[in-house]
Amino acid sequence: MPFTKILIANRGEISCRITTTARALGYRTVAVYSDADIAARHVAVADEAVRIGPAPVGASYLNIEALIDAAKRSGADAIHPGYGFLSENAAFAQACVDAGIIFIGPTPAAIAAMGNKAAAKRLMIEAGVPCVPGYHGVEQTDARLSTEAKRIGFPVMVKAAAGGGGRGMRLVQEEADLLRAFGAARMEALSAFGSDELILEKAVVDARHVEIQVFADAHGGIIHLGERDCSVQRRHQKVLEEAPSPAVNPGLRARMGAAAVAAARAIDYRGAGTVEFLLEPSGAFYFLEMNTRLQVEHPVTEMVTGLDLVAWQLRVAAGEPLPLTQADVRLGGHAIEARIYAEDPSRGFLPQTGRVLAWTPADLPAVRTDHGLLAGQDISPFYDPMLAKVIAHGATRDQARRKLIMALEETRLLGPTTNIGFLIAALRHPEFADGRATTNFIDQCFAKGSPALAPPVAGNELVALAAVLLSRASQTSAAVGAAWHSSGVPSWPMRVAFGATPTDVIIKSVTTTRYDVQIGGAVTTLDIVSLSTTDVRFSVDGHVRSAQIYYDDGTQHLGLNGLTYAARDILHDAASGAETDGDDRIRAPMNGRVVSVRAKAGDTVVKGQCIVILEAMKMQHELTVGRAGTLADVRVAEGDQVATQHILAVLAAVPQPSKS
């Protein structure tokens, strides 16, 4: 059926991506927004926007009634669910049908068939699609699950039957950890998907995560568009994706593609879908799941096929046949995508919040950035921490890899802590560069203590640059320098702190653009070649480089080679000197909701014991005590919303031995 106006039931870069293609094809677009997103980019780029509720997803982006009402109020005759949120929710698709609104996606029956992993595995086995050995039964007692886990053999994967994206998923290495994994997976699954049903699968060691993009129309046409390799993951969420896979040859591609098409045909599929497989080194592959939607990583497929997959979705939803047959599909060159997250690699990739102070995507040939960012916006704790995707295409895999590194280095994103530096390190790692990365890549190649997971360390050149920029921005040179000289070269002291690490420096102004910066016993001569409000080009001992800059409320933010730094002059900063707590206080690492409190005041606890489980950015985080002792106070209850650094619990002070 024809349609003219599309409501996009999603947010951020997803909504922006769909808006771009829809408007290019002549469709009017309607964005939806929660109270947290009223000033978001996806709202600004759409033709219209409708408020759907407060910030929590359950009251806004997962509120089916509010979304259908928004479509009716705006006159939208079609809804695109995007990817994530309700895109794989059969009830939402059915609600659109019942309201007379076209759902741009599969039928409710097809979504339901793949929406439960247990039922989907049983269906795929019947269809002859190879599946990972496991347990997909209806009996969900701990005893039955434990028995089945031992039958399958360790290591074993515990998964939410109703979900995806790494939520409700735990890798269990030994029997002693089973019950804890069941409990944690159930709680996370129930919160994320409304169901605590679990399945078990044998953990395939040193496998690759390879998925096949399928497309089907309403006329019986089903084809695949090749594969994507999504093996580089952390917390079971993808970080780097590429097409084609370096481990797949034409013969294997044909076999995996045929299996994916068979999976789609078994449920009478329509629209864009992704069939995910685990690929063993031997070439054997096993069905994992089918995502009945477009994927976050679809741009790599678009770049190697030259196709717009969102445009295909709109054409299929309008009743048109697929524009190509299987024989027409051609793959050209190589594409790699990197996901930029607001997270701290040095703290176990903990999601981060904060304000985007500066944002400009890299401007390079054959490089694409999908995003929903605006400078000045706050990164909300209510939603997924992914900020943007950067995709590079090249004639060869290595060319695409080099271009992506360059694009990440030239991406200006200052404010929140991100994983950009880690992405660059991963792309440069020999294991990835040689095309050998498996799902164990991050765990094996970036173990705890790896330099790529450490906070960036500022060397003397960066300390000197920060000191000079801080002095110019805050006019320290005029205020302090005047008291330090009566003749000769003016100089002034500073104490430059990157985080908690202070460095004493003395700046001497040689000319208006040249400075001698004394750091310890060494002197660094720094020249300012050019300076704007967003960039500085500087020279140290004849080595000229460029850095991204942003000065905000006494803090100088710097971006250099993909790493970001924030510096303050604490010698002249009246706000400095805040006290820090040791291990006696458990604080919220980010804004979030308390989903479980595991101890009470007066309890004796051991080091590493979980006290509170906090849900933030679609993940659950176990917060533990740093030492053994007794809880003096627990200051939160289940359901509380807490802000970053909120004190959740306090350990009693350790008694000091009396002095005789």
Side-chain angles (χ1 to χ4, degrees), residues 504-542:
D504 288 315
V505 305
I506 296 177
I507 298 179
K508 294 182 178 181
S509 178
V510 180
T511 69
T512 56
T513 60
R514 171 167 289 189
Y515 301 84
D516 284 342
V517 184
Q518 183 176 326
I519 305 170
V523 174
T524 298
T525 298
L526 183 138
D527 288 275
I528 300 295
V529 179
S530 62
L531 179 65
S532 70
T533 56
T534 60
D535 296 273
V536 61
R537 195 157 177 83
F538 64 101
S539 171
V540 174
D541 298 328

Side-chain angles (χ1 to χ4, degrees), residues 348-405:
F349 297 98
L350 189 70
Q352 301 291 296
T353 55
R355 177 160 295 180
V356 177
L357 301 175
W359 163 249
T360 307
D363 183 14
L364 294 169
V367 169
R368 160 180 167 181
T369 301
D370 287 7
H371 70 94
L373 291 176
L374 291 172
Q377 80 175 69
D378 290 317
I379 304 304
S380 169
F382 295 101
Y383 313 118
D384 189 276
M386 194 181 79
L387 303 179
K389 306 175 308 192
V390 184
I391 312 100
H393 181 267
T396 66
R397 182 177 186 273
D398 202 53
Q399 185 184 93
R401 185 184 66 87
R402 293 195 307 269
K403 290 171 70 173
L404 184 53
I405 292 171

Side-chain angles (χ1 to χ4, degrees), residues 105-432:
T107 63
I111 296 174
M114 288 296 175
N116 181 285
K117 287 184 172 65
K121 292 290 174 65
R122 294 192 291 266
L123 184 60
M124 291 299 100
I125 291 171
E126 292 176 9
V129 178
C131 293
V132 179
Y135 173 71
H136 319 114
V138 295
E139 187 177 342
Q140 291 285 300
T141 64
D142 284 353
R144 179 60 185 274
L145 291 174
S146 296
T147 298
E148 294 295 338
K150 286 182 278 188
R151 176 187 62 81
I152 295 166
F154 295 93
V156 67
M157 292 298 305
V158 178
K159 292 185 175 182
R167 265 80 71 184
M169 185 182 298
R170 296 293 187 276
L171 173 63
V172 182
Q173 298 284 359
E174 53 190 32
E175 184 179 349
D177 297 328
L178 273 175
L179 295 183
R180 181 179 179 185
F182 294 158
R186 284 190 181 111
M187 180 183 296
E188 197 167 274
L190 186 63
S191 175
F193 313 115
S195 169
D196 63 358
E197 183 182 355
L198 302 177
I199 66 171
L200 304 176
E201 289 178 349
K202 181 175 180 59
V204 182
V205 180
D206 287 329
R208 288 179 181 265
H209 185 121
V210 177
E211 59 191 31
I212 303 291
Q213 177 73 64
V214 295
F215 239 102
D217 59 28
H219 308 279
I222 305 179
I223 66 173
H224 71 84
L225 301 175
E227 81 284 352
R228 297 185 286 259
D229 196 312
C230 307
S231 301
V232 180
Q233 304 178 10
R234 54 100 184 89
R235 291 200 304 260
H236 309 295
Q237 291 188 317
K238 300 162 188 174
V239 178
L240 298 173
E241 302 103 349
E242 59 184 306
S245 169
V248 174
N249 58 35
L252 180 56
R253 180 175 300 119
R255 295 195 299 275
M256 296 183 76
V261 168
R265 198 176 298 281
I267 59 171
D268 193 24
Y269 199 72
R270 186 183 69 202
T274 307
V275 184
E276 302 193 355
F277 296 98
L278 279 180
L279 175 63
E280 287 190 313
S282 66
F285 58 90
Y286 306 101
F287 173 85
L288 275 177
E289 63 182 346
M290 182 177 183
N291 290 303
T292 53
R293 56 176 169 85
L294 205 59
Q295 294 280 85
V296 174
E297 57 271 20
H298 76 273
V300 294
T301 296
E302 292 185 322
M303 294 190 90
V304 297
T305 60
L307 304 172
D308 184 328
L309 300 191
V310 173
W312 273 37
Q313 286 186 297
L314 303 185
R315 294 176 69 168
V316 167
E320 298 180 28
L322 294 177
L324 298 178
T325 67
Q326 191 65 64
D328 298 324
V329 177
R330 297 286 185 273
L331 305 182
H334 204 97
I336 308 176
E337 172 180 293
R339 300 188 187 193
I340 299 177
Y341 284 91
E343 62 183 14
D344 188 349
S346 71
R347 301 173 65 196
F349 297 98
L350 189 70
Q352 301 291 296
T353 55
R355 177 160 295 180
V356 177
L357 301 175
W359 163 249
T360 307
D363 183 14
L364 294 169
V367 169
R368 160 180 167 181
T369 301
D370 287 7
H371 70 94
L373 291 176
L374 291 172
Q377 80 175 69
D378 290 317
I379 304 304
S380 169
F382 295 101
Y383 313 118
D384 189 276
M386 194 181 79
L387 303 179
K389 306 175 308 192
V390 184
I391 312 100
H393 181 267
T396 66
R397 182 177 186 273
D398 202 53
Q399 185 184 93
R401 185 184 66 87
R402 293 195 307 269
K403 290 171 70 173
L404 184 53
I405 292 171
M406 182 181 294
L408 290 169
E409 289 179 336
E410 296 186 11
T411 295
R412 179 196 312 279
L413 180 50
L414 299 178
T417 301
T418 74
N419 66 332
I420 291 179
F422 170 76
L423 291 172
I424 293 170
L427 288 163
R428 284 182 172 150
H429 195 283
E431 194 85 2
F432 184 86

